[in-house]
Amino acid sequence: MSDTKTPPPLPPLPGQPIEGPGSPRDVPPLPGMSTLDPAEMPDAIRAELEAPDPAAIDTGAAELKSGLNRCPRCGSSDIRPRLGTDLLVCEYCRHEWHGERVEELFGFGDGIAGLRGTVMASGAQDIDADAATLMSFKCSGCGAEVTVNTESTMTARCHWCRHVFGVNEQVPNGAVPDAVLPFHIRKDDAVARIRQFVDKRKLLALKAFKDEFTPENVVGVYLPYMIVDGNASASVAGTGEIKTREYTRGTGNDKKTYYDADVYRIERHVDFTVDDLPLESSSERGNLDVNVNTNNIINTILPFDTKNAVRWNASYLNGFTSEKRNTNVEALRPRLEDQLLSIARAQVEGSTRRYTRGVRWEAEALDVHGTRWVSMYLPVWLYSYHQPGRNGGMLHYIAVNGRTGETMGSVPVQQWKLLLTALSVGTVVEAIAIAILVGMS
């Protein structure tokens, strides 16, 4: 007998097959397990595995990646948008030029009915969590380093030679979209619209809000959206009723109204396309919890004329702030599908008008054949007011569409004033009813 231990086997050489006890070849499969056949997988999993990778459309401008957006006439980098137009203007020689509309440049308005799978513009690609927020440029004029914080701005001026730098390279941090829709409404116009909106509601407004209301503090901000084209089909099924008779039974307070109706089983199918459907691509703006904010206000100033959006150029953001996109396409699909189903219901509504007692949809199915996603900045003048309260209070917004001037907002109200008004209105209504009854007797 020997007390010496058997030495462990040496590891295999590179390229040598792994065999012997404990190797994968010696481990029997678990009961019931076999090689997975895609045909045996659930439909949803098989579709995801077999789906082609998203096709990409490169919308980047190679000539702008250096960070210097130069005037095509004199070469100056001091460029600003000309408000009220889609033009850029050189602050040095006053030359003006128009950005390229992405609708024609990349054919975003074409082929919607033929969309299959997922097509993304390059600015809509997934965000890399490790991508830097701070972008640095080496100034070609003086050699200094210029840093831009893309969380809130896309342009910066060199402190030494005054060159203006803009972030145009589509780094995957969500800050650089494919397109931008320039502001048309000026700040003084937005201030006047907000003031007019609040003046009509001051009677019931919170006193602190009226005391602190300063519409001049309105901010011009570019909000991130995904603009989606889609090709889809939907089927809905349910029951519809056509009233055939109405009658009452009982007397006095026990009188009740009854209906007789013919009940039908209804099925509808519709093929449709959507063109330029906007979805918020900021999780903060997409949070529509009415208990903590009034982000839903921003949806009420839609639509935007997205057909006029131009190719991304950071110079359009000179003088404005911006919010980064932080939501990827896959995270937005459930919201897109909800929107598409709503559109499908509206499409079939015209064919159900004969059902006078209404229609109840009991089953819905949506098939999205293809989508195209374009990342875009849309212009909004935004005034905010924080109302203190429980659970952090409420954040109120008044928003002005930076293209059309459409204005909507939320004004915090004094609850006792609201109650008093409701009681007064109720008293007036009651008095009118009594007067009518007296006149009839």
Side-chain angles (χ1 to χ4, degrees):
M1 293 181 64
S2 172
D3 294 330
T4 56
K5 295 181 179 179
T6 304
L10 295 174
L13 296 173
Q16 180 180 343
I18 301 174
E19 297 181 352
S23 72
R25 295 184 182 182
D26 296 328
V27 179
L30 295 175
M33 284 190 64
S34 61
T35 303
L36 288 177
D37 182 355
E40 300 174 357
M41 296 179 181
D43 292 344
I45 297 176
R46 185 176 70 254
E48 183 174 344
L49 291 175
E50 295 179 349
D53 292 333
I57 302 171
D58 185 5
T59 61
E63 67 275 13
L64 298 178
K65 289 183 179 180
S66 66
L68 281 175
N69 305 338
R70 293 188 178 276
C71 169
R73 174 181 290 176
C74 71
S76 170
S77 65
D78 200 355
I79 300 167
R80 285 185 168 272
R82 182 173 180 179
L83 286 185
T85 74
D86 296 336
L87 298 171
L88 291 172
V89 56
C90 174
E91 294 282 77
Y92 184 74
C93 72
R94 312 308 298 171
H95 176 60
E96 297 178 353
W97 66 100
H98 197 291
E100 300 170 288
R101 293 196 348 163
V102 294
E103 186 84 357
E104 291 85 14
L105 184 62
F106 299 107
F108 288 150
D110 303 329
I112 299 176
L115 283 174
R116 294 292 182 274
T118 302
V119 179
M120 293 185 196
S122 52
Q125 297 288 305
D126 283 356
I127 296 169
D128 182 353
D130 297 325
T133 296
L134 298 177
M135 301 293 297
S136 295
F137 301 93
K138 190 173 184 64
C139 180
S140 58
C142 65
E145 187 172 89
V146 179
T147 301
V148 181
N149 185 350
T150 59
E151 285 290 349
S152 59
T153 186
M154 300 299 285
T155 61
R157 186 184 292 274
C158 176
H159 294 295
W160 302 102
C161 69
R162 312 303 292 166
H163 271 322
V164 179
F165 287 82
V167 181
N168 292 300
E169 184 178 358
Q170 290 179 337
V171 290
N173 66 359
V176 179
D178 300 293
V180 57
L181 188 62
F183 273 87
H184 273 195
I185 300 297
R186 297 175 179 274
K187 181 174 181 177
D188 56 354
D189 189 357
V191 169
R193 292 170 186 270
I194 292 172
R195 190 183 299 280
Q196 182 183 40
F197 180 88
V198 172
D199 283 346
K200 293 180 179 179
R201 294 157 178 83
K202 271 192 173 181
L203 178 63
L204 301 177
L206 197 69
K207 182 178 184 302
F209 172 81
K210 291 190 289 186
D211 293 342
E212 300 168 15
F213 177 60
T214 49
E216 291 77 15
N217 290 342
V218 64
V219 176
V221 57
Y222 279 100
L223 298 181
Y225 279 77
M226 286 288 194
I227 306 301
V228 187
D229 296 332
N231 173 25
S233 300
S235 298
V236 291
T239 55
E241 297 183 1
I242 299 177
K243 184 171 68 174
T244 57
R245 187 165 68 113
E246 177 180 338
Y247 53 95
T248 58
R249 287 180 178 171
T251 59
N253 294 334
D254 295 328
K255 183 182 293 185
K256 293 183 179 180
T257 301
Y258 294 88
Y259 302 91
D260 288 343
D262 293 334
V263 180
Y264 296 85
R265 180 69 180 170
I266 304 173
E267 294 182 358
R268 295 290 188 271
H269 179 86
V270 59
D271 300 317
F272 63 99
T273 61
V274 294
D275 187 8
D276 283 10
L277 178 68
L279 299 175
E280 299 97 339
S281 56
S282 161
S283 58
E284 180 183 354
R285 296 299 170 196
N287 176 13
L288 302 181
D289 184 353
V290 295
N291 295 313
V292 295
N293 64 56
T294 56
N295 277 333
N296 57 317
I297 291 298
I298 300 173
N299 290 331
T300 64
I301 62 172
L302 298 173
F304 287 86
D305 55 326
T306 50
K307 296 294 182 186
N308 291 315
V310 296
R311 190 179 193 176
W312 169 252
N313 185 323
S315 295
Y316 280 106
L317 268 67
N318 200 339
F320 299 98
T321 62
S322 61
E323 294 184 3
K324 283 172 55 178
R325 172 176 72 92
N326 63 1
T327 309
N328 292 325
V329 165
E330 288 305 317
L332 291 173
R333 284 193 191 277
R335 191 177 304 170
L336 171 66
E337 291 172 0
D338 285 344
Q339 297 266 17
L340 293 179
L341 273 174
S342 296
I343 293 170
R345 295 186 203 106
Q347 291 275 326
V348 302
E349 183 179 354
S351 67
T352 62
R353 290 174 183 158
R354 63 186 291 256
Y355 298 99
T356 53
R357 286 275 295 158
V359 174
R360 182 176 66 252
W361 299 119
E362 298 163 344
E364 298 173 325
L366 177 70
D367 187 6
V368 182
H369 309 300
T371 54
R372 180 166 54 212
W373 303 73
V374 177
S375 179
M376 189 179 295
Y377 275 168
L378 300 182
V380 177
W381 289 103
L382 209 56
Y383 180 82
S384 62
Y385 175 78
H386 181 260
Q387 179 184 2
R390 290 180 298 176
N391 301 321
M394 169 73 76
L395 189 57
H396 295 268
Y397 290 108
I398 303 175
V400 179
N401 185 312
R403 297 286 290 192
T404 65
E406 183 71 24
T407 304
M408 186 54 68
S410 169
V411 175
V413 298
Q414 198 87 324
Q415 294 298 328
W416 66 266
K417 288 184 179 180
L418 186 63
L419 179 60
L420 182 61
T421 301
L423 292 173
S424 300
V425 171
T427 303
V428 171
V429 171
E430 185 178 353
I432 294 174
I434 292 173
I436 293 174
L437 291 174
V438 170
M440 293 175 60
S441 61

